[in-house]
Amino acid sequence: ISGAGSQALGMAQSAAAQPFQAPAAPVAGFSADQNQAFQQYRNLQGSAQPYYDKAAQYYSPQGAQDFYNPMADQVMAQMQNIFGQQNRQNQGDLTSKAGGVGADRIAVGMGNLANQQGLSAGQTLSQLYTQAVQQAQSAGQGQMALGQNVFNTNMQGAGALAQSGTAQQQQQQAELNSPYQQQ
């Protein structure tokens, strides 16, 4: 018994002299899907910017020109025809009322008519431009919404890919943990 005890004690001392070798805990790396999702997230940076840039163009003064009624030139040409007819008729009426050419009231009457025509033309042009601005702003809002939708859709796709990759990583981690826990 004494020999066996001495042998056991010697083996215990030898084992105690050995450094403790703790196993390293395994860590599962990112899955291929996670890495792809990370890249997609990186690629999404600025993906909506072209839509926002187009929307900004619509909100600029030049943006309204894209929606300006192409018939505006014909409207203005017709107004000039009408104004010319009114001028001739007004001058004739004022001349006959004044008793001949040269009366100073003719110039006042012509000035009043020119003022009325200017107001009328301004109002018509204002309406045409207001319609163009409203259409441009509507198009700008549509571009911004489209850009946001594109971005959100791409974010959802990348998020789904990341979730799939996380499930794969968790499975791999569980597989690595099993032998570690046994050890």
Side-chain angles (χ1 to χ4, degrees):
I1 293 181
S2 152
S6 291
Q7 184 183 7
L9 184 59
M11 288 173 63
Q13 287 174 340
S14 175
Q18 296 291 323
F20 180 68
Q21 297 288 329
V27 175
F30 292 120
S31 71
D33 284 347
Q34 284 175 311
N35 286 323
Q36 185 179 352
F38 297 152
Q39 187 60 46
Q40 284 182 3
Y41 282 128
R42 281 185 208 97
N43 294 344
L44 282 174
Q45 301 304 312
S47 64
Q49 195 61 47
Y51 299 96
Y52 297 151
D53 291 343
K54 185 65 175 175
Q57 289 175 2
Y58 287 139
Y59 280 99
S60 72
Q62 289 75 28
Q65 293 301 319
D66 291 344
F67 296 91
Y68 199 66
N69 188 340
M71 303 303 287
D73 290 339
Q74 282 92 9
V75 170
M76 294 310 297
Q78 187 58 30
M79 285 184 76
Q80 288 176 343
N81 288 340
I82 293 169
F83 290 166
Q85 291 172 2
Q86 288 174 342
N87 285 339
R88 285 187 295 279
Q89 183 179 357
N90 187 43
Q91 187 174 13
D93 288 348
L94 291 172
T95 302
S96 67
K97 286 180 185 175
V101 178
D104 57 348
R105 294 302 300 164
I106 295 174
V108 172
M110 294 299 290
N112 286 339
L113 179 60
N115 185 44
Q116 291 172 358
Q117 290 173 341
L119 291 173
S120 178
Q123 185 178 13
T124 300
L125 287 172
S126 174
Q127 289 171 350
L128 291 170
Y129 189 73
T130 298
Q131 289 172 353
V133 167
Q134 289 170 346
Q135 289 174 342
Q137 288 174 348
S138 178
Q141 290 169 353
Q143 283 292 316
M144 287 189 298
L146 184 59
Q148 191 63 46
N149 286 342
V150 165
F151 181 77
N152 289 343
T153 300
N154 289 334
M155 285 291 287
Q156 288 172 349
L161 189 61
Q163 286 176 345
S164 171
T166 298
Q168 294 167 11
Q169 183 185 31
Q170 289 170 344
Q171 176 62 32
Q172 182 184 7
Q173 185 66 51
E175 291 172 6
L176 292 173
N177 283 346
S178 179
Y180 174 74
Q181 290 170 350
Q182 292 296 323
Q183 188 178 14

